[in-house]
Amino acid sequence: MSDLTYGRDRLGDLAAANRLEWLVTNGIGGYASGTASGVLTRRYHGLLVASLKPPVGRTLLLAKLAEGLELDGAWVELDANSWAGGSVSPSGYMHLESFRLDETVPVWTWAIGATRLEKRVWMEQGENTTFVEYRLAAAGAPVRLRLRALVNHRDAHETSRDGSWTASVEPGAGGVCIEAWDGATPLWLFAPGAEVRPMHDWYRRFHLAAEAERGLDCVEDHLCAAEILATLAPGETLMVTASTRKSAGRDAGTPLARAFALQRRRAHEKSLLDAWRGARPRAARVAPEWVRRLVLAADQFMVE
């Protein structure tokens, strides 16, 4: 298993952490991408950029989940945002102990004292579905996790400002359904075992530094449409599923189903490596590790 890891020396430097970008895809034109710091620097960043007319129609539906942990009665923000006024708030990247690439799955680890929280992001192959898994790797006692879902509904090449639409946010079994306007493709958010509260609060004037460097519109707003609250004991996990498919909630409804979601990603990675070894057995035996990583990375640019 390839393991590309960055530590506090890179992650504590915001400019360096912003340049470490990750990408996961679903094979039909949809993707999730972002920075190691958590700061949105491009209009193309988001946890679910769905391909509504595969392989095109790429539409940003979920920009990010803004994380916070309650420790000793106080909230510690793990998220990071750059704002048009020039400030960075909160500065959760300062709590990052590591960022690594586990095959095609990006993994973050935040460390506050003896408490460590891990996060993984991957997609379902062939579907507009993103999984975000949080695992309390270490803690002296159960902790409270808070996630705020920042959503949108725009073309991946555009930016949006608040007031352009008023969303419908309806609670459902294990989550919420968010419809930007009547007839828009719904975003389903599921978090089995957590409390999911509908919201409707615009977060205004995110600064997209990479777009500013390109001389393009670099200010954007996102709608906070839900707050997810869960208590995790050490070793426990919470998985959030973001999808255009209502039945994705059923698939993520049990611990076994959630485990199978990651197993399917691992099986896809194995099939890619097996195909490479079968096509070039001699070369595969002597290839350096970076070639193996390229085999997995190349699949991100293939679309059915």
Side-chain angles (χ1 to χ4, degrees):
M1 201 174 264
S2 63
D3 190 359
L4 186 64
T5 303
Y6 296 93
R8 290 187 185 272
D9 56 332
R10 292 287 296 276
L11 302 174
D13 179 340
L14 183 59
N18 283 349
R19 289 193 294 270
L20 295 174
E21 297 185 66
W22 57 271
L23 170 71
V24 297
T25 62
N26 64 1
I28 59 171
Y31 68 90
S33 72
T35 65
S37 68
V39 173
L40 303 172
T41 65
R42 302 183 189 275
R43 63 187 65 192
Y44 303 103
H45 286 161
L47 282 176
L48 179 55
V49 181
S51 179
L52 300 184
K53 296 180 180 179
V56 295
R58 295 185 180 94
T59 303
L60 173 65
L61 297 181
L62 178 61
K64 63 158 51 180
L65 295 172
E67 300 96 352
L69 276 183
E70 187 179 26
L71 299 174
D72 299 323
W75 285 100
V76 178
E77 301 294 341
L78 305 181
D79 188 27
N81 297 306
S82 177
W83 303 101
S87 65
V88 175
S89 177
S91 301
Y93 68 93
M94 297 297 295
H95 299 298
L96 278 172
E97 181 179 65
S98 68
F99 171 81
R100 62 189 175 93
L101 191 63
D102 182 1
E103 301 292 36
T104 63
V105 177
V107 184
W108 293 256
T109 302
W110 291 277
I112 305 101
T115 301
R116 279 168 173 73
L117 180 72
E118 294 178 350
K119 169 185 171 181
R120 288 172 171 79
V121 177
W122 72 95
M123 295 192 80
E124 186 72 49
Q125 191 72 8
E127 290 184 9
N128 289 311
T129 300
T130 300
F131 302 103
V132 187
E133 182 187 76
Y134 296 89
R135 175 178 176 268
L136 188 61
V143 302
R144 191 82 162 151
L145 173 66
R146 183 189 64 207
L147 310 172
R148 288 180 175 152
L150 301 184
V151 309
N152 214 309
H153 196 293
R154 60 143 172 93
D155 186 276
H157 298 291
E158 299 175 357
T159 55
S160 64
R161 302 300 293 270
D162 80 288
S164 57
W165 40 268
T166 300
S168 167
V169 185
E170 297 294 334
V176 293
C177 175
I178 302 155
E179 190 173 311
W181 58 83
D182 188 28
T185 299
L187 168 65
W188 296 87
L189 284 178
F190 301 103
E195 178 186 1
V196 184
R197 300 173 178 173
M199 298 180 67
H200 200 287
D201 185 13
W202 283 95
Y203 284 31
R204 303 178 179 88
R205 299 181 63 76
F206 289 86
H207 176 65
L208 307 176
E211 303 303 324
E213 293 174 3
R214 300 169 65 204
L216 300 176
D217 181 18
C218 59
V219 178
E220 173 145 59
D221 303 331
H222 296 297
L223 175 67
C224 180
E227 183 175 68
I228 301 168
L229 296 165
T231 299
L232 297 179
E236 288 187 337
T237 63
L238 171 71
M239 191 165 82
V240 179
T241 302
S243 182
T244 58
R245 185 170 59 88
K246 181 179 180 179
S247 57
R250 178 197 62 215
D251 297 343
T254 67
L256 186 60
R258 295 194 288 273
F260 279 149
L262 185 55
Q263 287 182 17
R264 290 192 297 273
R265 170 52 46 181
R266 296 305 188 204
H268 178 68
E269 294 166 342
K270 183 177 183 299
S271 71
L272 296 172
L273 294 171
D274 288 347
W276 167 56
R277 295 186 184 103
R280 301 291 298 278
R282 183 175 299 179
R285 284 196 297 270
V286 298
E289 179 62 22
W290 61 264
V291 176
R292 185 174 178 278
R293 291 190 181 129
L294 283 179
V295 171
L296 296 175
D299 181 63
Q300 296 175 328
F301 297 90
M302 302 298 292
V303 177
E304 287 290 339

